[in-house]
Each structure stands twice: as structure tokens, then as C-alpha cells.
Amino acid sequence: FKNELSLHKTTNIMTKINKFNNEFYSKISEILQFARSKVIQTVNTTMVETYFEIGRLIIEEEQSGSERAEYGKQILKELSLKLTSEFGLGFSVTNLQQMKNFYNIYGKQQTVSAKSNPNELPSFKLSWSHYLKLMRIEDELERKFYEIECAKNNWSLRELQRQYDSA
């Protein structure tokens, strides 16, 4: 009987320890998942802001050139080579052109306060992949609608594509 009582106490203690460990682990896991999500969001925002600024600088440089069209093509080729050499993939002429288009589209949508302070960037809430998809929508109001819905409903790129295709 004494052994049974000892076994019962040990089992109760182990159950309490396991429950504590599960709750403890769950709390730490939640903190880590939140932190991971925040890091991803920060990286995405920084990447989009960076591409916006690169697009702005390319346009400003092209506008200062004499023969714009040919000068612009040459700038993108040279810039692509230098950036790829220093920073690796992601800076092809096509990608630089997309950054330029991104600035052309989203630079026009800046708020009045942002226009009074040219150093203030627009608020970007989506990933670069989302913006690449959105830039293919020619109608500005339609593009803005999908951008708002993406941010509000936390749509993945796949969900954005599905929503757009079903419209």
C-alpha cells in the first residue's frame, strides 16, 4: 500500500510538472512566433522602402541625363552589373525597371504631409511580391482596392491572385 501511495504521489507530481512545462513552453513559443513574425514584417517593409528609394534615384538620375531613353537603358545596365557584383542576385535590369515602375506608381500616391516632407516615405504594408502583382493592375482605383483588401485581410500573394482572378 505504501508503494502504491508513493507511485500515486510521483504520478501526480509528474502530471503537474508536465502541465507546467507545456504551459511554460507554450508561452515561450508564442513569444518566439510573434518575434519571428515581426522580423519578417520589418524585413519586408525595409525591402519595399529600399526598392522605392532605388526607383526614385534611378528616375532622378535618368531625368538629369541628356538623351533620356538611351541614357536610361545604359544606367540600368551599369547599375545592374555593379549592384549584382557587390550585393548578389536581385538587381537585374528587369528588377531595377520594376523598382523604377514602383516609384512611378506609388510615388504619385503620397499624402499631402509626405509631399511637404520629401524625406517621408509612403506607408507600405505589403511585401514586394504583393506590389509586383498589384503594379500589373493598370486601373489605379482597382489597384488601390486590392492593396487595401490585402492589408486589411492579411492576404497572401496566392490569395490576392485568387481574389483578383475571381473578380
Side-chain angles (χ1 to χ4, degrees), residues 17 26 44 48 56 73 92 119 144 146:
I17 288 172
S26 292
N44 278 334
V48 170
R56 180 183 64 78
K73 287 179 188 174
S92 66
N119 295 326
K144 192 69 179 161
Y146 282 105

Side-chain angles (χ1 to χ4, degrees), residues 52-70:
F52 181 84
E53 281 298 300
I54 289 170
R56 180 183 64 78
L57 291 170
I58 290 170
I59 288 173
E60 287 175 2
E61 181 62 27
E62 285 178 345
Q63 289 173 349
S64 70
S66 51
E67 296 174 23
R68 288 187 190 170
E70 198 53 45

Side-chain angles (χ1 to χ4, degrees), residues 35-154:
R36 179 179 286 166
S37 172
K38 220 163 153 61
V39 166
I40 291 169
Q41 184 180 9
T42 301
V43 167
N44 278 334
T45 300
T46 303
M47 194 168 106
V48 170
E49 289 172 349
T50 300
Y51 291 169
F52 181 84
E53 281 298 300
I54 289 170
R56 180 183 64 78
L57 291 170
I58 290 170
I59 288 173
E60 287 175 2
E61 181 62 27
E62 285 178 345
Q63 289 173 349
S64 70
S66 51
E67 296 174 23
R68 288 187 190 170
E70 198 53 45
Y71 181 68
K73 287 179 188 174
Q74 197 57 39
I75 284 178
L76 292 181
K77 285 179 187 175
E78 288 180 30
L79 185 60
S80 173
L81 289 171
K82 286 183 177 183
L83 290 175
T84 301
S85 167
E86 185 171 346
F87 297 101
L89 298 175
F91 298 100
S92 66
V93 171
T94 301
N95 285 351
L96 293 173
Q97 184 65 47
Q98 289 171 332
M99 293 173 204
K100 186 177 142 180
N101 292 344
F102 181 58
Y103 178 78
N104 271 333
I105 290 170
Y106 286 92
K108 294 175 186 173
Q109 296 180 6
Q110 287 186 349
T111 62
V112 174
S113 64
K115 287 180 181 177
S116 65
N117 180 3
N119 295 326
E120 186 179 325
L121 293 173
S123 176
F124 297 116
K125 294 179 172 83
L126 304 173
S127 73
W128 178 241
S129 298
H130 282 85
Y131 286 110
L132 288 175
K133 170 61 186 153
L134 290 168
M135 286 190 301
R136 292 187 205 122
I137 301 172
E138 290 191 27
D139 182 272
E140 188 175 342
L141 291 175
E142 185 180 15
R143 182 174 52 248
K144 192 69 179 161
F145 167 80
Y146 282 105
E147 181 182 358
I148 290 167
E149 290 300 308
C150 274
K152 186 170 73 174
N153 297 305
N154 201 25

Side-chain angles (χ1 to χ4, degrees), residues 23-36:
E23 288 175 15
F24 181 64
Y25 173 80
S26 292
K27 288 176 183 177
I28 291 174
S29 178
E30 279 181 38
I31 290 168
L32 290 171
Q33 288 173 356
F34 177 76
R36 179 179 286 166

